[in-house]
Amino acid sequence: MGVPTLGCHCVVCESADPRDKRTRPSVVLGFGGRNVVIDTTPDFRYQAMRAKIDRLDAVLYTHAHADHILGLDDIRPFNLKQRGAVPIYGAPETLATLRRQFTYIFDDAPAESTIPLIDLHTIDGPFDLFGARVIPIPAMHGSQPVLGFRFGKAAYLTDFSRVPESSKTLLRGLDDFILDALRYVPHPTHSNVEQSLALVADLKPKRAWFTHICHDLGHVETNARLPENVRLAYDGLTFEVGL
Ligand SMILES: [Zn+2]
Ligand SMILES: [Zn+2]
């Protein structure tokens, strides 16, 4: 829902610490002059401006919940600037939901103004993207399947409640693991702090970064309670990863 959460006046929502201001979850991977975005959130336009993204080369989708897809329309300036379609990658069920949610992109009706230009690519296993290897990591988000993504020594896995053993194998030997940790209280479709700490203890990445954090977790006080190698991520966080 973002922090501050609309209508909420709790200490985290009213915090003056910029790291307690949270837009919806997304990351951009920059390499070889390319920018690959994971999920186009409702905050995509603002996030791309803030990160000074000058081009968009591909979008990978984890799943098709509203907080992960609704910024898709805002890729249009990149279509115009780059004079072409942006490749979009997702699992079959994710692409099916995109087709339903954005019928105007897919209905072939004559458009009187710009609409997003995209090429759909179905993810059915690891694939190469501009010379980098992308390894999809299947997980469960309640009863719905989601994908995380591994790039070299880093992986991004948001919106999950259970990681099957076959996927844990794909998540070993990481330098940086960015993962869902919504809050302390258990949630039917999200990993909480305790569950995510257990997963980190099992997979042993060098560093773990919690994301998709709700207003229950203040930045400074939560970090003080976490192990040294586990930190809350924050908007604008950047680091280098070995591809
Ligand atoms: Zn979700
Ligand atoms: Zn989400």
Side-chain angles (χ1 to χ4, degrees), residues 41-212:
T41 80
D43 301 310
F44 170 72
R45 178 176 175 275
Y46 169 73
Q47 291 169 329
M49 277 195 297
R50 186 180 58 193
K52 299 189 168 61
I53 302 296
D54 271 345
R55 56 176 296 122
L56 177 64
D57 296 284
V59 178
L60 311 185
Y61 283 107
T62 59
H63 67 307
H65 278 164
D67 56 332
H68 296 256
I69 67 169
L70 286 185
L72 175 58
D73 193 74
D74 287 325
I75 72 164
R76 289 176 296 134
F78 296 117
N79 292 141
L80 295 171
K81 185 177 180 189
Q82 297 163 208
R83 299 173 186 273
V86 172
I88 302 284
Y89 293 81
E93 59 274 16
T94 300
L95 300 184
T97 306
L98 287 178
R99 286 177 184 278
R100 274 204 312 280
Q101 296 281 15
F102 294 94
T103 49
Y104 66 95
I105 298 179
F106 299 98
D107 65 7
D108 289 327
E112 294 188 70
S113 182
T114 54
I115 58 170
L117 284 174
I118 56 177
D119 288 329
L120 296 186
H121 298 266
T122 303
I123 297 175
D124 51 14
F127 59 101
D128 285 307
L129 195 57
F130 313 122
R133 191 78 175 151
V134 181
I135 301 171
I137 313 286
M140 293 306 291
H141 182 24
S143 61
Q144 178 185 333
V146 293
L147 292 179
F149 298 103
R150 177 171 182 158
F151 300 88
K153 302 287 264 180
Y156 182 72
L157 179 61
T158 186
D159 293 62
F160 73 91
S161 45
R162 196 173 61 77
V163 180
E165 289 303 320
S166 53
S167 290
K168 287 183 185 171
T169 308
L170 305 172
L171 291 167
R172 300 200 186 268
L174 291 172
D175 286 346
D176 291 282
F177 184 28
I178 306 160
L179 73 162
D180 184 5
L182 184 73
R183 61 187 190 188
Y184 291 114
V185 181
H187 187 281
T189 66
H190 285 274
S191 186
N192 68 1
V193 170
E194 187 186 343
Q195 291 161 334
S196 293
L197 284 175
L199 185 61
V200 168
D202 180 0
L203 298 176
K204 300 183 178 59
K206 283 193 185 140
R207 290 168 293 274
W209 305 93
F210 285 171
T211 190
H212 214 298

